[in-house]
């Protein structure tokens, strides 16, 4: 009479985290420069685009609409406009954190 021993498998950890890939931002930027047509603006035009982005973010109440605007402007290559939106949202988020 032979007996079969059950095989034991090692326990699988619930969630393992891998270290973040540090070069992803450089890869994304290089791909964005190849895919997205970069517009060459004077510093004054770039500032005006940034201000326009900030005012767009201030006037847009719906987050879904603002997300669509960011995607559209990014695809068109208006990155200064998007920088203005990001700056406005970051400043608003920082202000709301300290309000109590």
């Amino acid at each position: 009479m032979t007996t079969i021993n059950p095989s034991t498998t090692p326990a699988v950890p619930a969630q393992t985290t891998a270290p973040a890939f540090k070069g992803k931002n450089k890869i994304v930027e290089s791909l964005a420069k190849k895919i997205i047509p970069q517009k060459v603006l004077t510093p004054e035009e770039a500032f005006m685009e940034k201000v326009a982005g900030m005012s767009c973010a201030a006037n847009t109440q719906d987050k879904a609409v603002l997300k669509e605007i960011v995607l559209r402007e990014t695809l068109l290559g208006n990155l200064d406009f998007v920088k203005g939106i990001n700056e406005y949202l970051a400043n608003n988020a920082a202000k709301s954190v300290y309000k109590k």
Side-chain angles (χ1 to χ4, degrees):
M1 177 175 194
T2 60
T3 60
I4 299 174
N5 293 333
S7 63
T8 58
T9 59
V12 178
Q15 192 70 287
T16 58
T17 58
F21 180 60
K22 295 181 180 180
K24 69 178 180 177
N25 291 338
K26 292 179 184 178
I27 293 172
V28 170
E29 288 176 8
S30 66
L31 287 176
K33 288 179 183 178
K34 291 177 184 176
I35 296 172
I36 301 170
Q38 296 287 323
K39 294 184 178 181
V40 178
L41 300 175
T42 64
E44 293 84 14
E45 291 172 335
F47 179 74
M48 290 191 310
E49 283 290 322
K50 192 172 180 181
V51 171
M54 293 174 82
S55 66
C56 176
N59 294 329
T60 307
Q61 297 297 324
D62 189 14
K63 298 295 181 187
V65 172
L66 192 59
K67 182 180 177 180
E68 290 177 12
I69 292 171
V70 168
L71 292 174
R72 181 185 66 227
E73 295 298 328
T74 302
L75 287 175
L76 292 173
N78 299 332
L79 300 180
D80 290 309
F81 187 86
V82 176
K83 284 180 187 177
I85 291 174
N86 287 338
E87 184 175 332
Y88 178 81
L89 294 176
N91 287 340
N92 258 4
K95 287 178 186 176
S96 65
V97 167
Y98 292 109
K99 287 183 182 178
K100 286 189 179 184

